[in-house]
Amino acid sequence: NKIDHIGIAVTDLDEAIETYKKLGMELLGTETVDDQKVRTAFFKVGESCFELLEATDPSSPIARYIEKNAGRGGIQHIAMQVDDVDAEIERLKGEGFLMIDETARDGAHGNRIAFLHPKSTHGTLLEVCARKK
């Protein structure tokens, strides 16, 4: 339907929040997502959002992303909004995409999410997400 959000890995969420506020963006809120081992902050950007992500555990995907990028953060994923994540997973698998998530799981704000493997998308980590109704 549209780009829902762009996930940006950061090493210090509180510091990053202050930076993005200075850019004039509206902070929508913060949340800890224990299942994904991250703290998040969402900023409104037009119809979409920037999601800042800080690892809460060294084994989290965000911590591994930062480690692979010489200790720096950066764009980690792009999320596309869909109406039904489960149906989209099945459609994508039918098209031959390799899924990291074979079934939808809970993300920030109670959204349902699933990730496509970057091997299937020419190196970009893509997420499909459906907003909590």
Side-chain angles (χ1 to χ4, degrees):
N1 297 338
K2 68 176 185 174
I3 292 176
D4 185 81
H5 65 272
I6 297 173
I8 302 169
V10 300
T11 57
D12 183 323
L13 185 63
D14 296 324
E15 183 179 305
I17 287 171
E18 292 308 312
T19 299
Y20 281 75
K21 282 181 180 177
K22 289 177 187 176
L23 289 169
M25 295 182 188
E26 176 189 356
L27 175 64
L28 298 177
T30 62
E31 179 178 354
T32 299
V33 184
D34 292 325
D35 181 53
Q36 295 180 41
K37 302 175 185 169
V38 294
R39 284 181 53 219
T40 70
F42 276 82
F43 283 87
K44 186 99 172 115
V45 182
E47 290 186 352
S48 300
C49 292
F50 283 169
E51 176 189 27
L52 306 182
L53 300 131
E54 175 190 62
T56 59
D57 185 280
S59 69
S60 76
I62 296 302
R64 289 192 309 269
Y65 176 86
I66 288 172
E67 184 180 318
K68 282 196 297 188
N69 286 288
R72 293 186 307 271
I75 294 176
Q76 192 259 346
H77 71 273
I78 299 172
M80 303 170 296
Q81 189 178 85
V82 298
D83 295 323
D84 182 334
V85 173
D86 296 309
E88 189 64 10
I89 290 170
E90 292 308 311
R91 186 189 77 74
L92 291 166
K93 286 174 21 182
E95 291 288 340
F97 286 94
L98 177 62
M99 300 297 298
I100 291 173
D101 299 302
E102 293 282 327
T103 57
R105 58 186 164 122
D106 290 332
H109 309 295
N111 295 336
R112 299 293 291 161
I113 66 168
F115 286 92
L116 290 83
H117 199 287
K119 289 179 183 176
S120 294
T121 59
H122 304 274
T124 301
L125 181 62
L126 296 178
E127 172 187 348
V128 290
C129 72
R131 292 276 177 174
K132 181 179 178 180
K133 305 229 188 272

